[in-house]
Amino acid sequence: MGKITFMGAGSTVFAKNVLGDSLQTDSLREFEIALYDIDPQRLDESYKMICALNKNTNNNKAKITKFLGPDNRKDALRRANFVVNAIQVGLYEPCTVTDFEIPKKYGLRQTIADTLGIGGIFRTLRTIPVLADFARDMEEVCPDAWFLNYTNPMAMLSGFMQRYTGVKTVGLCHSVQGCTRGLLNSLGIKYTEPIKEKIAGINHMGWLLEVCDSDGTDLYPEIRKRACEVLEKEAFKGNKPKHWDLVRYEYIRRFGYYCTESSEHNAEYNNLFIKSKYPELIDRYNIPLDEYPRRCVGQIAGWAKMRDEFVNDSLTHQKTHEYASYIMNSITTDTTYKIGGNVLNKGLIDNLPKEACVEVFCLVDKNGVTPTIQGALPVQLAAMNMTNINVQLLTIEAAVTKKKEHIYQAAMLDPHTSG
Amino acid sequence: MGKITFMGAGSTVFAKNVLGDSLQTDSLREFEIALYDIDPQRLDESYKMICALNKNTNNNKAKITKFLGPDNRKDALRRANFVVNAIQVGLYEPCTVTDFEIPKKYGLRQTIADTLGIGGIFRTLRTIPVLADFARDMEEVCPDAWFLNYTNPMAMLSGFMQRYTGVKTVGLCHSVQGCTRGLLNSLGIKYTEPIKEKIAGINHMGWLLEVCDSDGTDLYPEIRKRACEVLEKEAFKGNKPKHWDLVRYEYIRRFGYYCTESSEHNAEYNNLFIKSKYPELIDRYNIPLDEYPRRCVGQIAGWAKMRDEFVNDSLTHQKTHEYASYIMNSITTDTTYKIGGNVLNKGLIDNLPKEACVEVFCLVDKNGVTPTIQGALPVQLAAMNMTNINVQLLTIEAAVTKKKEHIYQAAMLDPHTSG
Amino acid sequence: MGKITFMGAGSTVFAKNVLGDSLQTDSLREFEIALYDIDPQRLDESYKMICALNKNTNNNKAKITKFLGPDNRKDALRRANFVVNAIQVGLYEPCTVTDFEIPKKYGLRQTIADTLGIGGIFRTLRTIPVLADFARDMEEVCPDAWFLNYTNPMAMLSGFMQRYTGVKTVGLCHSVQGCTRGLLNSLGIKYTEPIKEKIAGINHMGWLLEVCDSDGTDLYPEIRKRACEVLEKEAFKGNKPKHWDLVRYEYIRRFGYYCTESSEHNAEYNNLFIKSKYPELIDRYNIPLDEYPRRCVGQIAGWAKMRDEFVNDSLTHQKTHEYASYIMNSITTDTTYKIGGNVLNKGLIDNLPKEACVEVFCLVDKNGVTPTIQGALPVQLAAMNMTNINVQLLTIEAAVTKKKEHIYQAAMLDPHTSG
Amino acid sequence: MGKITFMGAGSTVFAKNVLGDSLQTDSLREFEIALYDIDPQRLDESYKMICALNKNTNNNKAKITKFLGPDNRKDALRRANFVVNAIQVGLYEPCTVTDFEIPKKYGLRQTIADTLGIGGIFRTLRTIPVLADFARDMEEVCPDAWFLNYTNPMAMLSGFMQRYTGVKTVGLCHSVQGCTRGLLNSLGIKYTEPIKEKIAGINHMGWLLEVCDSDGTDLYPEIRKRACEVLEKEAFKGNKPKHWDLVRYEYIRRFGYYCTESSEHNAEYNNLFIKSKYPELIDRYNIPLDEYPRRCVGQIAGWAKMRDEFVNDSLTHQKTHEYASYIMNSITTDTTYKIGGNVLNKGLIDNLPKEACVEVFCLVDKNGVTPTIQGALPVQLAAMNMTNINVQLLTIEAAVTKKKEHIYQAAMLDPHTSG
């Protein structure tokens, strides 16, 4: 039987989603599930949770094991078929706090700071050394395993693994799946499957290149019209409460296309919205500064209450839309499955650098995750991606060469930081 | 509702497979099915056959139409969603006969002659002008349709369409689907799904790069051992009757890998087996010279009898494994499906030319057929493919530029012809 | 005998340099020199000047002709071997004035505005249609001629010609030749030939990648040390008068490398120096805002006086270092010559887009201008170039598609404009 | 002062050419010249010869040293600026003899056998291990030196060095320089400089793609006409004595283009001329079977006599056209120079594999040898090159992986061997 190792198993909620899904996937029911974390309490809580799910939803068919800290890491990984990564190095305290507070001292405001910018750069710099350790262990004890990376910054961490280790890595995110449906719903356009959607770009800035309804009618003319109407009404007329997706609508208006990650994220991936020179844009585009730490505080506070619910012998689970269990099933059973995955470009998107980590549709089957080829992006979309890729490549360069100057360069090239 | 146009509908048996499948595919049941041919009798026979199937297996839900000859071709194609191509220009007489008999006068023996060599070159030269006419019509009356090409020579005809027309084209062949199962069966190795198989290369010479059983055990060591034993016994000891697959077993022994199309085909794709200097190889490797015309004569003779069976009001149909109906369903319903398709290389296989038409796994969904990226082939396999691609590119060049010298060059570069 | 056509011959000073050089180049002495302009007075002045040079330095061996306005353009170009382009569409008035004044209304300050930014974008948009006309004529009346483009914005105009016309085009600039010598001189490091210098990038931001003295000693450590000392003294201590090259010294300090075009240019190719938020940087880095119009006013005023000197029957000429006459000689005589030329990337610089116009060393001989391959730039330098290439590709896209949205996109992607 | 190390200095005649040239090159006159060989007598003879030249043509300005055998190899190489390689592993006896005699037993006839085919494959296999030793030493004791390789098989040996060692390597051959002049002379067409010639392809099969006289008139129509006339008269009418260049004239007739290396070489690079089935072609195309061993025997016999002439205190030297001294001068003095060099393809020739070693024009200056980009070859020429590159890549693969099967594959893919 196979084995799934979950790195950062202390992320109880996310572990429940991915592993709860797995326990309800026939091909995976009898797998060993190895939980790894460096926090003994959180590890223990997750262990109890998964054991409860195994009992309640899987007749205890799976073997659940737990492994604490680097000394036991190789045992956790040994003979794994799949390694799911959801670690967060540095947590809310101290790292998320410093990611936000130190830049703020110098006048730099952020919203999420987990992808690009000062937050994204530092999150990468503190995470790559840990992933490099994981990779060394995996090359030794489970060289054929697939590494399903959920940890952000997605493009930088996955790109590091893909370029500098021998580990088969795909980066996974939730933002591709719901992109089209979310857009159409928010604009009041009926979403009917089968829908034709082409999405390609980079993580958190993957472009919805084409969207047609089931009859093949191009929906973009109507999308563009309605997005402009919303902008007109919401951004320029000053309604309250504000619409939540104005940054991406402005993308539609200015660049012609919608993208995968939310407006609060995309507000800080360019130098167009958060500008000390035009402070009124914050309000106009409804940009939630400091959004991520606010959420963290809420989640931490909530966990006290949620703990009882999760670490509970009668816990059950309803299958989610997370890619991981579907991918593991597909590779195990050779069932064809399609995902939006983060992979090394190597010419998939013709006008982005070969060494960039891009987000494209991939075919999953017994052969693993194989990316599909995309051609070129519209010039303006490649340009927007490039401003982000500049930062990504420089940050990876800094982490790999350990040359401090590349960190400064990453910051200077970051469109928002330097804007 | 959608529309499927079938070019060369007079190929009654093949039309029955593809269209019979379609009539039993829920998403396609109400499509219009337009039959096109230039032979009135064969067209009429196929029309009757499909009408019978529509009645007997589809409650007459589909609308069946027929179109005779170039004057009605645009009407056949107008508003089509899918165009299935199965034409054969020149038929057995006169063209297959001359493909074989004229080279034979000069001492050149062939087996199938539908892919490469003198037969493949001339088959391409007489077919491309017809496809160019189809393409011009399609660009006008159904510019978004997918062209599913089944006509050989697959790589040359699909490559022409992909490089020189605006028509979305994928080339389809049966040889990928059964490759692994056939090999294992013939060697007495148990075939158990899920199996891991990687196949990439060019049509009729797509390489089985990797094959592992459901536990992940590499089957190639055992395959190589057994193939060598068969060769030892059959090719060198001279048993009778001979094994049917010795050419490809010799590929395994010499190049390390099996390939998709049969030994009788592959005997004429290189200069290793049919050699005037070593006539004993014909017998040693059991190479059926003049196999294809023999088959044709048999099929033509058989058709007189089969006609009654096919053109028969009570005809029924059992769904086959042909890709076409699955592709059309997948594109129509946005269901993910995987095929081995023939597509323009553009970097998919790193060490074959960008303008070659290669056979790789493709993802099919509402976006159509999107190829997956493959990396580089082992050097010797790329080299074998290259000797074939040389001929393919030169033949296309001849057809497009109408320069006769390229025909001679194609023949001079053909490994068997010049061997 | 051959023919050189000079477009924008009314640029008397520059025409004197290039054509004066040609008249003193043995292989070109008997060429016809065709002057083209749309301004009759300036054309006539240049004609008189060149006639004087032909008499005084060339024994009247060349045939000098002049052609006024579009109606005579084809005659000017007919049978040309070389077309030197030095037109300026829109001149100082009205266009340079509006390039500066309109952005200034919105708070955007510029220095030169002939390469990137609002000035560069608009200069391109008004020039491409004229070059497109030239190209159409050339394709008809001198299809084999080389087009030596001196007009700015170099990368955008040359890139347009190279991608969208059939005219053999190389873009030429003075900034490569003097780069290393200028740097060493300004830092008090002895410049001794033979020097080893590698330069590659884009026009006006071509990177001095390597510089060694004649013994092979790497000069960069000393360069970096001294540049930092100057910065320390000049930028941070506030000496007056300020050093003229602080922006590029900051490039050395921050990105590790010097680049080809001057500090006053490079101040506006990024968002690091001219920042409304940090107005003190203008003074700190000694950035001459509005420098270009100031120079223009000076030149126009000076021309009244210079005219007498140039349009003078006893005019003579001393050969300059402009590339043009050397290139024309090299192509004419098959003498090997090396230039820094602006050419279509096509993989020359591995980590810049294929469709970018890059500045690399080229081999010149009878075959014309053939670029050399460069490999990859250091990540941070490619990143800096990319922020400029984004604007270049979008501006060309706007000019070619005539879609206004691409103009806005170019401005939004411009690092200084959006900064 | 610099240092030139000559590997295989026992090649007295060739050493005289390259080093005699160097001693007369101002920039190199004071270099140390280190001679290396494993044959003490030949090394000593060459040492005396070079000392004589140093005295007679260079006022003893150079320092001449000699190094015998692997134990002294690092000393020979230490601090070298340039390493000229002219070794021949295995010499005439035993290796050239076995290269010819063993294949002959199996009916395979060869002419030169130093480039491709059984001879070329084995020559590569016995030479690469020696070059790998050289490379390891060079990486240690002269990591910045340029390796100027003259040893055949050029494409395979240079390709190995370029792909698998860190040594800066260019492969050099005489066949590019005289190609055009030789062709025109032999056809009675006047050769007048400056001539425009484009040559690109692989070593010994570099294609003369374009040739125009000084007025720009395309000479190919006349070349093609005359080559066909010669073929008509010589090959088909059976004149005696036969013309010496009929194989390449047949290339012109059939493929449209001439190539760099001689007809006796090219006769064995394809399967068109030496065919057991058509033995009359040997005579028709005047193919000198066993030409190379014949020459070797002559040279060895001649050396007894020549030795006195070369190892002679009053020896002088007249400068030759060998590239080496020009390259060394150009790199030393930063003088621009153009060569046809053998370099890693990496996209220089668009339709040949990236890892092939191709022969293209290169720019030489202080930066060393930098290749120019070429675009795509005509399809038929790329195809001819590909059949050779297949063998080259497989032979290198065999040498690097030490897997015997790749040797068989190289032979099976060799167009002549398998023909």
Side-chain angles (χ1 to χ4, degrees), chain D residues 99-115:
Chain D
D99 283 352
F100 275 82
E101 293 308 314
I102 293 175
K104 199 183 290 176
K105 279 194 209 166
Y106 300 92
L108 180 69
R109 304 299 307 269
Q110 298 174 91
T111 51
I112 308 292
D114 71 343
T115 310

Side-chain angles (χ1 to χ4, degrees), chain D residues 272-290:
Chain D
L272 302 170
F273 297 96
I274 308 176
K275 300 180 82 71
S276 52
K277 197 171 162 186
Y278 301 106
E280 68 274 21
L281 299 181
I282 299 302
D283 184 59
R284 185 180 301 161
Y285 289 99
N286 192 21
I287 295 166
L289 297 176
D290 294 327

